[in-house]
């Protein structure tokens, strides 16, 4: 499929792995990867749809500038992170840091922006600086996740969809502000975004903004037609933090309406705590965890595959770029 005679720097292709891996000779210039990628674009596309994610290893992607130049030539139609729920820094129109969320905590598995009206079809992740310990980006195949979920739960979500709730503060408070979320200081611009994205919103007296968005939760892949688990209800639901933290949060906020984030079934009924726990367990069993190596570049089909983040120590820099 991928004839590599012209590219002796390509040492091995592991097509049947998850993620698929294309091993380059250590220190291969990023421009060579770009040439290879563009020459074999359709083969790589086939590999990506089959595996869900492709890792290019051994390439010299050692700075933000190299990362940006590389992904700029591998994709077009980059999108921003408006409506994002995780703290991160926008480094340019195309490049973000991966989440700056507390290094001591895990981030649960999610498809990027699955709660939003628009999500990236593809995501590039690259490791500029590996952490000292941990910090992996686990990946899970949403086709497999769906197969392991309780059939009754899948049917309920297919019929009803899911609803995500967020309470964003107006400058100071827990979690992200609406200004950071919508990448604007203008209330009008935030409202326009919400209307466009089918998000119900309510301004609060303290300057905060409450968002309610109903989404499908299970999707058909736009190219392959395969059904995939495509939601992050467990991440929005505080029970994913464990029974004890859940109880503390419920005491602190008093009701589910006041929680920073929450999720329910699409008919408004609660998702039982044990269902949230079972979703988390299924992801734990299915996720594939691979340590980052400096220069690794991973291309993920964001509908087929979810990702998360393991806790870490030490400096870690993973850059992210998203394609429409
Ligand atoms: Fe993410």
């Amino acid at each position: 499929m991928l004839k590599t005679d012209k590219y002796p720097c390509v040492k091995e292709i592991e097509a049947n792995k998850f993620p698929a891996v294309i091993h380059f000779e250590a220190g291969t210039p990023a421009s060579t990867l770009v040439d290879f990628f563009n020459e074999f674009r359709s083969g790589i596309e086939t590999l990506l749809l089959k595996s869900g994610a492709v890792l290019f290893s051994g390439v010299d992607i050692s700075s933000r500038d190299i990362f940006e130049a590389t992904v700029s030539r591998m994709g077009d139609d980059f999108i921003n992170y408006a409506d994002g729920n995780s703290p991160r820094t926008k480094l340019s129109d195309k490049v973000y840091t991966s989440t700056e969320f507390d290094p001591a905590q895990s981030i649960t598995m999610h498809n990027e922006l699955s709660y939003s009206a628009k999500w990236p079809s593809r995501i590039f992740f690259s490791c500029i600086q590996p952490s000292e310990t941990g910090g992996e980006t686990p990946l899970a195949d949403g086709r497999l996740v769906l197969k392991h979920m309780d059939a009754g739960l899948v049917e309920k979500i297919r019929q009803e969809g899911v609803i995500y709730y967020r309470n964003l503060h107006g400058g100071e408070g827990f979690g992200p502000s609406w200004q950071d979320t919508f990448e604007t200081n203008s209330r009008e611009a935030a409202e326009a975004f919400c209307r466009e994205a089918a998000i119900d919103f309510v301004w609060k007296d303290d300057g905060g903004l409450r968002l309610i968005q109903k989404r499908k939760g299970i999707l058909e892949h736009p190219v392959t037609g395969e059904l995939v688990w495509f939601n992050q209800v467990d991440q929005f639901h505080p029970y994913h933090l464990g029974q004890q933290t859940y109880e503390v949060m419920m005491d602190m906020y008093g009701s589910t309406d006041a929680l920073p984030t929450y999720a329910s079934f699409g008919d408004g009924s609660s998702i039982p705590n044990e269902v949230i726990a079972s979703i988390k367990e299924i992801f734990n069993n299915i996720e594939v965890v691979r340590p980052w190596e400096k220069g690794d570049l991973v291309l993920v089909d964001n509908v087929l595959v979810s990702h998360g983040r393991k806790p870490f120590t030490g400096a870690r820099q993973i850059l992210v770029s998203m394609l429409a």
Side-chain angles (χ1 to χ4, degrees), residues 88 110 112 307:
R88 58 177 80 209
H110 59 280
E112 206 61 51
H307 61 274

Side-chain angles (χ1 to χ4, degrees), residues 189-310:
E191 289 181 7
F193 187 99
C194 290
R195 286 194 193 96
E196 173 81 22
I199 303 172
D200 291 335
F201 61 91
V202 183
W203 290 104
K204 297 195 296 188
D205 295 341
D206 62 2
L209 180 62
R210 176 163 172 78
L211 306 177
I212 301 172
Q213 37 208 134
K214 186 169 177 176
R215 302 293 181 236
K216 287 183 170 173
I218 290 171
L219 275 199
E220 240 176 59
H221 189 276
V223 178
T224 68
E226 295 160 296
L227 281 181
V228 290
W229 183 261
F230 189 76
N231 68 71
Q232 50 207 83
V233 291
D234 53 323
Q235 192 183 56
F236 273 62
H237 195 294
Y239 198 78
H240 85 270
L241 298 164
Q243 175 79 30
Q244 216 178 350
T245 308
Y246 172 77
E247 282 169 10
V248 170
M249 286 185 77
M250 289 306 292
D251 278 352
M252 202 157 86
Y253 290 97
S255 80
T256 53
D257 284 354
L259 290 165
T261 66
Y262 185 60
S264 72
F265 289 119
D267 58 2
S269 61
S270 322
I271 304 172
N273 290 347
E274 58 272 22
V275 170
I276 298 297
S278 75
I279 294 171
K280 203 177 156 190
E281 194 186 333
I282 287 168
F283 273 108
N284 275 342
N285 293 336
I286 289 177
E287 67 183 24
V288 171
V289 183
R290 183 187 171 107
W292 281 112
E293 282 178 35
K294 195 177 169 97
D296 280 350
L297 177 71
V298 181
L299 175 57
V300 170
D301 183 307
N302 184 47
V303 174
L304 291 177
V305 170
S306 57
H307 61 274
R309 192 208 65 197
K310 296 295 183 191

Side-chain angles (χ1 to χ4, degrees), residues 81 88 107 110-112 123 125 307:
Y81 190 59
R88 58 177 80 209
I107 294 176
H110 59 280
N111 304 84
E112 206 61 51
I123 309 176
F125 293 98
H307 61 274

Side-chain angles (χ1 to χ4, degrees), residues 64 68 89-97 317 319:
R64 177 193 136 191
E68 182 158 358
T89 302
K90 185 173 188 169
L91 300 175
S92 75
D93 282 347
K94 294 174 185 163
V95 180
Y96 288 79
T97 59
Q317 197 178 19
L319 297 179

Side-chain angles (χ1 to χ4, degrees), residues 93-200:
D93 282 347
K94 294 174 185 163
V95 180
Y96 288 79
T97 59
S98 68
T99 182
E100 284 149 12
F101 185 72
D102 182 358
Q105 306 289 325
S106 285
I107 294 176
T108 52
M109 302 298 283
H110 59 280
N111 304 84
E112 206 61 51
L113 293 166
S114 75
Y115 54 86
S116 197
K118 282 189 204 149
W119 46 80
S121 63
R122 305 281 159 85
I123 309 176
F124 288 105
F125 293 98
S126 189
C127 176
I128 306 300
Q129 170 68 55
S131 54
E132 270 165 33
T133 63
E136 301 91 342
T137 300
L139 301 175
D141 185 327
R143 296 164 291 198
L144 200 58
V145 173
L146 190 74
K147 277 190 196 126
H148 283 76
M149 289 291 167
D150 175 77
L153 173 65
V154 169
E155 194 47 37
K156 172 96 177 158
I157 292 181
R158 282 193 74 179
Q159 281 181 14
E160 306 283 354
V162 296
I163 302 178
Y164 299 99
Y165 309 82
R166 279 181 286 171
N167 288 309
L168 306 174
H169 63 78
E172 262 178 52
F174 181 83
S177 66
W178 62 263
Q179 292 93 333
D180 284 344
T181 298
F182 294 113
E183 298 184 352
T184 180
N185 287 317
S186 153
R187 282 188 173 219
E188 292 72 28
E191 289 181 7
F193 187 99
C194 290
R195 286 194 193 96
E196 173 81 22
I199 303 172
D200 291 335

Side-chain angles (χ1 to χ4, degrees), residues 64-85:
R64 177 193 136 191
D65 288 348
I66 298 176
F67 173 71
E68 182 158 358
T70 304
V71 296
S72 295
R73 291 181 56 209
M74 290 170 82
D76 44 31
D77 210 2
F78 289 83
I79 62 169
N80 65 27
Y81 190 59
D83 199 21
N85 70 341

